Amino acid sequence: MARRRSQPREPARLPARLTDMRFSLPPSRLSLLAALLLVSPAAFAAAKKAPPALAATAYPAHETHEKEHVTIAAEPLDGRGQGDFFRLDYLGHSVLPVRLVIANDSDAPLDLNQARIQFIASDGTKLPAATPDELNRRLFRFKDIKEKHIPGTPIAYRPTPVDKKILDDDKDFGFSQTVIPPHTTASGFLFYDIKDLDDPPLRGAELYVKMIHSKAETKDTELFGFSVPFDKYLAVADAKKNEEKAAARAKAEADAEAAEAKAEKDAAKASTTTPGTPAAPNSTTPGNRP
């Protein structure tokens, strides 16, 4: 019995109503769409900016070396919402961002290539600033990284590239200057892993900066270390909280007094406007004569 030849199938065709569709956009919207497609996602991610840095002496936690004409300040972002311009929630992962501000009011440039900037806890624990790799290990779990296989082998591995958001935050907000020219100020953020420190980690702690060099022509001088105590920051923060609590308490008391006065006033007004008992008929009126 002869077998029939199978006829080749025609490719599936879309319904006419779909193939006949036409997209018509005004030229202005087309140009806007083209512009949006050209913009990289990183441009949207970096939309937020950090608050501008103040003068170094404007921060509660600062130290000035009058003889060397250098001031170093530290501002920890220890409250939720203070670092909402970052792409990642560092504080939520026990990583403390600290803004470092160095004001060089001398006539010589400062060289920071050998500088050491340590977070020293109240118990003496010394923490260097975390690197992007260390931040990556803190914020992302190793088991969450998908396995990859080497082609042609059963060998599997987990690559651990640093997350792009960490690299972008480091590029946009990190302290990156290694030389500070005369009469200029440099600022940026450093990140410290405070997970294993006692709570609160700032109480009794300090930021210690050492091995900064002043380059005056051929003379190279190492500056004395800077000790910036965070207790100064906490004292101002606590005073501000106490003021806010006192203001809130005073407002609550004033509102209560105003409500009580209004209630008394409304009660007095109600008593004067309530209709009284009708007066007894006059005996001299015609209807009341005996």
Side-chain angles (χ1 to χ4, degrees):
M1 182 175 178
R3 298 178 61 185
R4 292 185 181 180
R5 282 189 179 182
S6 59
Q7 297 296 327
R9 293 184 180 180
E10 293 185 1
R13 295 181 180 179
L14 294 174
R17 59 187 177 85
L18 291 180
T19 56
D20 293 340
M21 286 180 67
R22 297 292 183 269
F23 295 96
S24 59
L25 288 174
S28 59
R29 292 196 176 184
L30 283 173
S31 59
L32 176 60
L33 178 61
L36 289 174
L37 291 174
L38 291 174
V39 177
S40 64
F44 292 101
K48 292 186 178 180
K49 293 184 178 180
L54 307 175
T57 53
Y59 293 97
H62 74 269
E63 182 175 284
T64 301
H65 289 186
E66 299 288 351
K67 185 177 180 180
E68 297 163 336
H69 304 288
V70 176
T71 299
I72 294 183
E75 181 194 25
L77 302 189
D78 61 333
R80 289 297 181 91
Q82 288 181 306
D84 60 357
F85 51 88
F86 293 124
R87 295 171 176 83
L88 296 169
D89 180 16
Y90 296 98
L91 190 61
H93 291 82
S94 299
V95 174
L96 177 68
V98 177
R99 188 201 292 265
L100 176 68
V101 182
I102 302 179
N104 179 17
D105 296 319
S106 70
D107 296 326
L110 298 179
D111 184 357
L112 275 63
N113 282 289
Q114 303 177 48
R116 299 292 180 267
I117 307 169
Q118 300 172 322
F119 183 103
I120 302 181
S122 59
D123 63 356
T125 301
K126 296 180 180 179
L127 301 176
T131 64
D133 287 301
E134 291 168 339
L135 292 176
N136 198 67
R137 288 194 293 271
R138 164 60 66 200
L139 271 67
F140 299 99
R141 296 179 299 177
F142 182 74
K143 66 179 182 180
D144 292 338
I145 301 172
K146 293 182 179 179
E147 284 189 351
K148 290 189 176 182
H149 288 81
I150 298 177
T153 71
I155 301 174
Y157 68 98
R158 281 188 170 93
T160 57
V162 177
D163 189 84
K164 187 176 184 301
K165 292 180 181 179
I166 293 177
L167 296 176
D168 288 341
D169 277 346
D170 182 61
K171 179 185 67 175
D172 292 342
F173 307 115
F175 191 99
S176 58
Q177 283 191 245
T178 56
V179 175
I180 305 177
H183 305 287
T184 60
T185 298
S187 66
F189 288 90
L190 301 174
F191 300 87
Y192 293 92
D193 186 349
I194 59 173
K195 182 177 184 295
D196 297 326
L197 299 183
D198 294 335
D199 191 48
L202 292 177
R203 191 74 62 187
E206 66 178 10
L207 193 71
Y208 185 66
V209 185
K210 63 179 180 178
M211 298 177 67
I212 294 179
H213 289 253
S214 175
K215 303 281 190 177
E217 296 179 354
T218 58
K219 188 178 181 181
D220 186 332
T221 305
E222 182 178 336
L223 277 58
F224 289 102
F226 291 76
S227 178
V228 184
F230 288 113
D231 282 341
K232 292 182 178 180
Y233 164 82
L234 292 176
V236 173
D238 290 344
K240 184 178 179 180
K241 289 180 182 177
N242 292 334
E243 289 177 1
E244 291 175 351
K245 288 180 181 178
R249 187 165 51 249
K251 184 179 183 304
E253 292 175 355
D255 290 344
E257 292 177 359
E260 185 178 353
K262 184 177 183 302
E264 292 178 355
K265 183 178 179 181
D266 291 343
K269 183 178 179 181
S271 63
T272 57
T273 56
T274 302
T277 305
N282 193 334
S283 57
T284 59
T285 55
N288 291 331
R289 290 181 181 175

